[in-house]
Amino acid sequence: MEIQYVLEEKGGPVLALAIHDGHQIANQISPLMNLSESERLREEDPYTGLLTDLDTNRLLIKTSRFQIDLNRPIQDAVYIHPDQAWGLQVWKQPPTKAIVAQLHQSYHYIQKLLSLIIENSIQQFGYFIIYDIHSYNAKRLGPDEVVDTKTNPQINIGTINNTGIWRPLIDNFMKYLKEHKINGQTIDARENVKFSGGYLSKWISSKYGQKGCVLSIEFRKDFMNEWTGVPNLEHIESLKKILYSSISFIKQSYQNHYGSK
């Protein structure tokens, strides 16, 4: 039960991740799954893979987080209990210990793959920057709920797992986002309001935090109907353009503050 993924290596120190983009469930465990496709889709991050198409290195996970979640510690990466999965009953019957062991093996494989990519970047460029791209629901009560914009920023940047040396780069990235507009309005980008960064960013920073920064970028699901899953492709394209133009900016910001290798 390998994790399905797409890896594109185009060079440079920036890697765009979409670890929750996936929707696929392995044939071996699909009969055990209690959730419908629409129930799974609601808590996945559909279309975030499109936002990694930035002419840089990118890794898209095509396997659903309901099979294995790379943004959780290994003991919580398979959602056995409802309290691990927004109260949802994921399984008709729990996966066997043998199945869980196979899923954990696939989890470690992706960690090793990421380590290799990061270590190659450090060796070649002296640093790395990761765009850890996610999305989040802001209409938990129903499709007609009015979004509370005070507590749900358009873009939430999770940074808490980074070491303090990356403060100038993070500040520059935040400033960059706030200088752009979506649908004619200045972007509401805030730091560590809704989410502060998940386990994957913690794991990467614990191993490589002196050499690189993980920007966990959470987009409010304004670019889609979060209840039906229908996307607004024009909105997605607008977000992608902002991220695309930020790549050269973030690399220049690194050079300005930290110098070359």
Side-chain angles (χ1 to χ4, degrees):
M1 278 175 287
E2 298 178 350
I3 290 177
Q4 302 300 310
Y5 66 90
V6 175
L7 173 63
E8 295 180 4
E9 297 181 272
K10 296 190 176 182
V14 180
L15 170 66
L17 296 178
I19 62 170
H20 287 157
D21 177 76
H23 189 61
Q24 297 176 11
I25 296 291
N27 291 335
Q28 299 96 311
I29 64 171
S30 183
L32 305 177
M33 188 68 58
N34 183 57
L35 300 177
S36 67
E37 287 203 35
S38 61
E39 286 174 313
R40 286 194 286 111
L41 188 69
R42 176 146 169 74
E43 301 300 345
E44 294 162 347
D45 294 352
Y47 315 113
T48 52
L50 297 176
L51 296 173
T52 66
D53 187 12
L54 306 174
D55 198 29
T56 189
N57 305 309
R58 64 196 294 232
L59 176 63
L60 286 67
I61 301 300
K62 306 309 293 180
T63 294
S64 173
R65 67 187 304 175
F66 285 96
Q67 177 169 315
I68 187 79
D69 191 341
L70 296 165
N71 212 27
R72 301 280 182 92
I74 188 71
Q75 66 270 19
D76 295 319
V78 180
Y79 305 155
I80 301 298
H81 306 292
D83 60 4
Q84 296 171 308
W86 308 275
L88 300 172
Q89 185 65 49
V90 176
W91 307 98
K92 294 176 183 175
Q93 60 187 70
T96 65
K97 290 182 179 180
I99 288 175
V100 172
Q102 290 182 55
L103 295 175
H104 284 175
Q105 187 176 11
S106 68
Y107 175 102
H108 289 306
Y109 175 82
I110 297 298
Q111 284 189 331
K112 290 178 182 177
L113 177 64
L114 273 170
S115 290
L116 182 61
I117 296 169
I118 290 168
E119 288 165 9
N120 286 342
S121 181
I122 293 171
Q123 183 178 16
Q124 187 172 358
F125 302 101
Y127 74 104
F128 67 92
I129 297 170
I130 291 179
Y131 284 16
D132 175 29
I133 298 174
H134 298 266
S135 61
Y136 77 93
N137 297 315
K139 295 185 176 184
R140 283 286 177 186
L141 300 180
D144 297 324
E145 181 183 0
V146 177
V147 173
D148 179 0
T149 56
K150 290 183 179 180
T151 58
N152 294 280
Q154 285 176 298
I155 305 178
N156 178 101
I157 309 298
T159 62
I160 200 169
N161 294 317
N162 292 293
T163 63
I165 60 173
W166 301 110
R167 189 71 256 167
L169 186 142
I170 293 168
D171 288 344
N172 276 359
F173 186 70
M174 296 298 298
K175 183 173 181 289
Y176 175 88
L177 291 176
K178 292 175 182 178
E179 289 173 348
H180 287 77
K181 295 183 177 181
I182 292 289
N183 297 327
Q185 294 186 332
T186 301
I187 292 176
D188 173 22
R190 284 177 271 165
E191 189 177 351
N192 301 327
V193 173
K194 198 71 179 177
F195 304 95
S196 56
Y199 178 77
L200 187 64
S201 67
K202 182 178 181 180
W203 176 79
I204 293 170
S205 295
S206 69
K207 293 189 69 175
Y208 306 107
Q210 296 300 314
K211 291 293 186 179
C213 179
V214 182
L215 298 167
S216 295
I217 307 170
E218 291 264 4
F219 292 96
R220 194 174 68 203
K221 287 184 178 176
D222 298 348
F223 59 85
M224 61 180 286
N225 184 313
E226 67 180 66
W227 283 89
T228 66
V230 176
N232 181 332
L233 295 178
E234 184 177 344
H235 194 137
I236 292 172
E237 187 63 26
S238 297
L239 295 175
K240 190 171 77 171
K241 286 179 179 178
I242 292 170
L243 289 177
Y244 181 88
S245 65
S246 75
I247 298 294
S248 58
F249 170 85
I250 205 75
K251 290 191 289 187
Q252 187 59 53
S253 178
Y254 175 87
Q255 296 300 329
N256 292 343
H257 286 277
Y258 308 98
S260 58
K261 183 177 178 181

